[in-house]
Amino acid sequence: MKTICLYFEIHQIIHLKRYRFFDIGTDHYYYDDYENERLISDIAERSYMPALGALLEMAKEHGKYFKVAFSLSGVGIEQLEMHAPQVLEKLQELNETGCVEFLAEPYSHGLASLKDEESFAAEVRRQAIKIKEYFGQEPQVLRNSSLIYSDDIGGQAAAMGFKGMLTEGARHVLGWKSPHYVYNCAIAPNLKLLLRDVNLSDDISLRFNNSEWEGYPLFADNYIERIANFPEEEQIINIFMELSALGIAQPLSSNILEFIKALPVCAKAKGITFSTPTEICMKMKSVGSLDVPDTLSWVDEERDVSCWLGNPMQREAFDKLYSVAERVRIANDPRINQDWDYLQASNNFRFMTTKPSNVGLDRGIYSTPFDAFTNYMNILGDFITRVNSLYPEEIENEELNSLLTTIKNQGDEIAMKDKEITRLKAKVEKMQAEEDKLKAKLDAAADKPKKAPAKKKAPAKKKEKEPKAE
């Protein structure tokens, strides 16, 4: 039986402000708060709220038959908390239907998986904790930023304990194979891979409102008919996209939500079900390993990472940022950590791309890729100076880490001794209380007056018998 895995991503770009060379060392705040609030509020109103409302309506109408999955970046959650908390509330309401699964992804929506395994693992753990706090779920499936995947990244995901991972059904990786099966990581067979159907997903997220597209207009019954006509053995249909596709990329006036709401009705008529990623990973067996030695993603025609790291500017910025990754972890300063999250976000490097793209790229305040590079490097220069200023710069990372580990161990030892002292004090106080109680009892016994011994009664004298008269 065929099943549809419908997944949406929620992430919000953190826009940097115009930051000039002369700001370095004097201004440590890097963000355009007005633009960030304006954009997230606009997306929430035009996309997230109506789209989630439609999905909630579908869940209530179809019950457990309808299933949908989401992932939210940590920085996206932070933006929603500040500027659009109603979106989180709607997600919680949707979660209560029991029809939703939440996935793990890197907290910053960054590229740490390409550079720093420890940073990548820490980000995923933090985001999973955030998901647990909001929705009570512990993610079992990982979705990397922009579906970035390789054999090595799959190995990292398996080491973190995930059952499965989402990635792109890229033609140059699949070859003659179909994305409509479950595969497994080549170096970690226990990690199952769910591959995005590129055409079915992009028909909705990119082409739905394009009147020049040969498939226009797209109707739900025709869409489901295409799925039903796949070979019988091709059972897994993965439709992955950003939630903002519903309302932003495809405006509400295009009737995109009516199309989405009609999918379960048409699917049920064809005997097609809906499943979450974890359900598929638990129920379906892998048909074989998928070899992905080179990194792939769901971006651009190449489906690789060249949109972020394809030119020397991008690679220089990327390498310089991660040159202080270990020192950021060692410092563990709250303000530094927040800036680290925002500066890692993949869009910072995407703005520097010189590649042509079929998908329009809004560079925001930047007029050219070089403009984006210059602004980012100015900010990065100030950030790195702040990181290095936390501890003497001449101390190497290994030496600094060793010193801080020693301090931490000493602190832990002191804390343990303090606990032992507290425990012994409590024990002494308890013994003292028992001793005082016993002493009071003995004193009370000593002060009690003694009773005089009872006198023995003298035996009664026998009366002498009087002589009888003769």
Side-chain angles (χ1 to χ4, degrees):
M1 180 181 290
K2 288 182 170 56
T3 191
I4 295 172
C5 181
L6 184 63
Y7 155 81
F8 296 100
E9 186 220 10
I10 298 176
H11 167 64
Q12 180 59 30
I13 290 174
I14 303 294
H15 288 271
L16 304 177
K17 69 181 182 182
R18 180 64 65 182
Y19 193 93
R20 306 190 183 282
F21 177 80
F22 298 103
D23 295 324
I24 299 174
T26 61
D27 182 2
H28 305 317
Y29 192 77
Y30 313 134
Y31 315 108
D32 187 338
D33 289 336
Y34 172 80
E35 190 66 6
N36 287 324
E37 181 177 0
R38 185 189 69 80
L39 286 173
I40 190 65
S41 300
D42 181 60
I43 292 174
E45 181 181 351
R46 293 168 54 202
S47 172
Y48 293 165
M49 290 303 290
L52 292 174
L55 293 168
L56 179 60
E57 182 181 330
M58 294 161 67
K60 289 180 177 179
E61 179 181 351
H62 300 286
K64 295 299 179 67
Y65 165 76
F66 175 69
K67 304 288 178 62
V68 64
F70 294 93
S71 73
L72 296 86
S73 69
V75 297
I77 293 176
E78 288 181 9
Q79 289 294 293
L80 293 173
E81 287 173 334
M82 286 189 287
H83 306 304
Q86 69 273 21
V87 175
L88 293 171
E89 292 170 3
K90 185 65 73 174
L91 281 165
Q92 289 172 326
E93 187 178 355
L94 190 55
N95 181 49
E96 290 170 1
T97 65
C99 302
V100 180
E101 178 180 356
F102 289 92
L103 311 185
E105 73 165 70
Y107 194 94
S108 70
H109 197 274
L111 307 173
S113 60
L114 303 176
K115 189 72 171 181
D116 192 298
E117 184 173 340
E118 192 171 343
S119 291
F120 177 57
E123 282 204 60
V124 171
R125 284 194 298 268
R126 288 172 55 219
Q127 187 267 359
I129 291 171
K130 201 85 169 174
I131 292 296
K132 175 74 172 176
E133 290 174 355
Y134 269 100
F135 308 109
Q137 295 190 26
E138 296 182 3
Q140 303 297 310
V141 173
L142 174 64
R143 183 264 189 199
N144 197 7
S145 308
S146 299
L147 296 189
I148 290 173
Y149 177 80
S150 68
D151 292 336
D152 290 339
I153 294 172
Q156 295 176 43
M160 285 187 272
F162 289 104
K163 292 182 173 65
M165 191 167 177
L166 310 187
T167 189
E168 181 78 339
R171 181 54 54 194
H172 71 275
V173 171
L174 283 171
W176 56 268
K177 297 177 182 177
S178 167
H180 304 147
Y181 295 94
V182 174
Y183 296 91
N184 63 264
C185 175
I187 64 174
N190 291 333
L191 183 80
K192 293 182 177 178
L193 302 176
L194 304 185
L195 308 185
R196 175 179 179 260
D197 186 304
V198 176
N199 290 327
L200 288 174
S201 300
D202 288 352
D203 283 352
I204 299 175
S205 62
L206 298 181
R207 294 183 280 269
F208 184 83
N209 194 44
N210 181 3
S211 59
E212 298 180 0
W213 171 46
E214 61 182 11
Y216 180 88
L218 181 62
F219 295 106
D221 54 352
N222 295 337
Y223 188 83
I224 293 297
E225 184 70 26
R226 287 167 56 192
I227 294 174
N229 289 336
F230 288 136
E232 184 179 349
E233 61 273 15
E234 297 188 11
Q235 298 183 4
I236 312 300
I237 314 300
N238 298 311
I239 301 171
F240 305 159
M241 68 192 81
E242 296 178 356
L243 185 62
S244 60
L246 311 182
I248 301 298
Q250 308 305 321
L252 298 181
S253 60
S254 69
N255 294 322
I256 183 67
L257 295 185
E258 285 68 23
F259 170 85
I260 292 293
K261 288 191 285 187
L263 290 178
V265 177
C266 298
K268 188 179 290 187
K270 292 291 185 179
I272 300 171
T273 64
F274 286 79
S275 299
T276 64
T278 294
E279 287 176 342
I280 294 173
C281 289
M282 297 295 287
K283 293 177 182 178
M284 303 297 292
K285 293 183 178 180
S286 168
V287 298
S289 65
L290 191 70
D291 295 315
V292 190
D294 299 319
T295 312
L296 63 88
S297 76
W298 72 357
V299 178
D300 289 348
E301 291 297 322
E302 295 83 358
R303 309 290 174 181
D304 58 14
V305 298
S306 58
C307 66
W308 301 291
L309 301 175
N311 65 47
M313 292 186 298
Q314 292 170 309
R315 291 191 291 272
E316 181 182 347
F318 185 71
D319 290 340
K320 192 170 184 64
L321 174 67
Y322 282 96
S323 69
V324 293
E326 186 177 1
R327 209 165 180 89
V328 168
R329 286 195 297 273
I330 292 169
N332 196 26
D333 177 82
R335 179 65 187 278
I336 290 291
N337 290 343
Q338 185 179 57
D339 290 337
W340 174 249
D341 287 337
Y342 297 166
L343 293 177
Q344 282 190 94
S346 62
N347 60 278
N348 293 312
F349 304 97
R350 174 79 162 149
F351 292 150
M352 303 175 199
T353 186
T354 52
K355 283 179 56 182
S357 175
N358 292 333
V359 180
L361 175 61
D362 180 3
R363 299 183 197 269
I365 63 172
Y366 307 124
S367 56
T368 65
F370 184 73
D371 185 25
F373 170 74
T374 303
N375 200 69
Y376 184 80
M377 293 302 282
N378 286 342
I379 290 173
L380 193 55
D382 183 78
F383 175 75
I384 291 176
T385 299
R386 288 167 56 213
V387 172
N388 290 332
S389 69
L390 291 174
Y391 300 102
E393 192 173 350
E394 60 271 13
I395 300 180
E396 296 293 332
N397 285 347
E398 289 185 9
E399 183 182 358
L400 179 57
N401 196 24
S402 176
L403 288 170
L404 292 178
T405 300
T406 301
I407 293 170
K408 181 180 182 299
N409 291 340
Q410 289 175 344
D412 292 343
E413 187 176 347
I414 291 170
M416 289 178 62
K417 288 182 177 179
D418 286 341
K419 287 182 180 179
E420 182 65 13
I421 291 170
T422 301
R423 188 185 68 81
L424 291 173
K425 281 183 177 180
K427 189 174 181 180
V428 169
E429 289 173 358
K430 184 178 179 181
M431 292 173 64
Q432 186 65 48
E434 290 177 352
E435 182 181 344
D436 292 343
K437 187 176 178 181
L438 179 60
K439 185 177 179 182
K441 189 174 180 181
L442 292 173
D443 290 343
D447 293 341
K448 194 173 182 181
K450 296 180 179 180
K451 290 183 180 180
K455 294 182 179 179
K456 293 183 179 180
K457 291 183 180 180
K461 292 183 179 180
K462 291 183 180 180
K463 292 182 179 180
E464 294 182 2
K465 291 183 178 180
E466 293 180 0
K468 293 182 179 179
E470 295 182 0

